Amino acid sequence: MSTSPQPYNLLLEVFYWGLQWELITKAEAVKWADDIIITTEDIPDYFFIELSMSKSVTEAKVLIKDKIGISNATIIGNVLLGLIYYKLNSNNIGLQKACEVMDRIALNDTMAGDKMGSLYQFSDELQEAFRPEHYDYLRIEILEFLSIYRDFALDNYDMWPSINDQIETLIFNITQQRIEQNETVKQAQNPINFIHQFTINNGIVYIDIGSRNSNIIKG
């Protein structure tokens, strides 16, 4: 492991927001720092020792923020969504907390990317849920949405960029597929318009063919 915190900037940013939004515990951040201290053969950066010995969440956040630059990159939001999936699926956080953190991610356009509307939608659905079965359905719906990010974990930091590339490609392909499906549905729902357009197009073809034949005869 590196003895400098610099290679861990993205991971530390995830720790920062996770601590800020109570998605990650101080114990998890401290364990990570402890592991680096234990496994390194060289003298580790004093940052790891300070984080390991931090006495409060506030102290840990201040240490991390002083050491990194906050990028708010889309990959940060994606990793946090992966952590929400893991913790919600294992009942380590409730539905309310999951929606709350997704809302906070959505508030940051850069971190949310193109999924901002979907993240807000779950909070709206939670506010409209009145019966236990509604909550059960919403939990399943959220887990299905978050499952695409489930490969992200705090202990596979080195794989984050490749995981993120795969996810972005998958999302793009799904989006394109939905666009094509929507176009097919629109055509099926508007047969008169489709036939009208077909007739116009064929009329243009007939006119063009007729013009060509006339010119050939005249020639």
Side-chain angles (χ1 to χ4, degrees):
M1 287 187 176
S2 175
T3 58
S4 167
Q6 197 63 33
Y8 305 107
N9 271 5
L10 286 178
L11 178 60
L12 287 171
E13 188 172 350
V14 168
F15 272 127
Y16 174 79
W17 290 116
L19 290 167
Q20 178 80 5
W21 298 333
E22 299 178 342
L23 184 62
I24 294 175
T25 65
K26 185 178 76 71
E28 289 175 295
V30 167
K31 182 183 181 304
W32 172 76
D34 286 342
D35 288 343
I36 290 181
I37 294 170
I38 292 169
T39 56
T40 185
E41 295 179 359
D42 301 320
I43 299 174
D45 190 288
Y46 193 61
F47 164 79
F48 298 113
I49 298 172
E50 287 184 302
L51 183 57
S52 174
M53 298 176 63
S54 60
K55 293 179 173 58
S56 67
V57 170
T58 301
E59 184 180 347
K61 286 191 301 180
V62 170
L63 285 169
I64 293 171
K65 192 172 184 180
D66 286 347
K67 206 68 180 178
I68 65 170
I70 303 298
S71 69
N72 294 324
T74 306
I75 189 172
I76 301 297
N78 289 346
V79 174
L80 290 169
L81 291 175
L83 296 182
I84 295 171
Y85 171 84
Y86 172 76
K87 300 215 167 187
L88 181 62
N89 194 44
S90 58
N91 294 314
N92 287 327
I93 61 171
L95 201 58
Q96 181 71 46
K97 171 57 70 174
C99 289
E100 179 185 318
V101 178
M102 286 191 289
D103 243 9
R104 292 178 181 274
I105 294 172
L107 284 169
N108 189 312
D109 293 351
T110 307
M111 193 185 292
D114 296 332
K115 54 189 171 290
M116 181 172 57
S118 298
L119 297 175
Y120 279 134
Q121 176 186 339
F122 291 123
S123 289
D124 292 340
E125 289 184 29
L126 181 64
Q127 298 302 320
E128 295 171 359
F130 296 107
R131 298 178 182 176
E133 57 266 28
H134 294 164
Y135 288 100
D136 292 340
Y137 174 79
L138 180 57
R139 185 176 183 276
I140 293 171
E141 187 181 12
I142 290 175
L143 285 173
E144 286 179 352
F145 171 80
L146 294 175
S147 65
I148 194 173
Y149 307 98
R150 63 186 174 189
D151 288 337
F152 286 115
L154 295 178
D155 59 0
N156 65 352
Y157 170 78
D158 292 341
M159 298 174 62
W160 285 4
S162 60
I163 292 172
N164 198 62
D165 288 343
Q166 292 171 10
I167 288 173
E168 292 299 327
T169 300
L170 180 60
I171 291 175
F172 175 80
N173 291 337
I174 291 173
T175 302
Q176 290 300 115
Q177 185 179 8
R178 286 178 178 173
I179 290 173
E180 292 172 4
Q181 289 174 344
N182 288 339
E183 287 300 317
T184 302
V185 170
K186 284 181 181 178
Q187 289 185 359
Q189 290 177 341
N190 296 279
I192 294 177
N193 291 338
F194 177 75
I195 293 170
H196 180 64
Q197 187 62 45
F198 179 81
T199 304
I200 291 175
N201 290 340
N202 276 280
I204 293 172
V205 171
Y206 293 148
I207 291 171
D208 184 56
I209 292 173
S211 298
R212 287 182 184 179
N213 290 339
S214 176
N215 290 333
I216 291 170
I217 293 170
K218 288 179 180 179

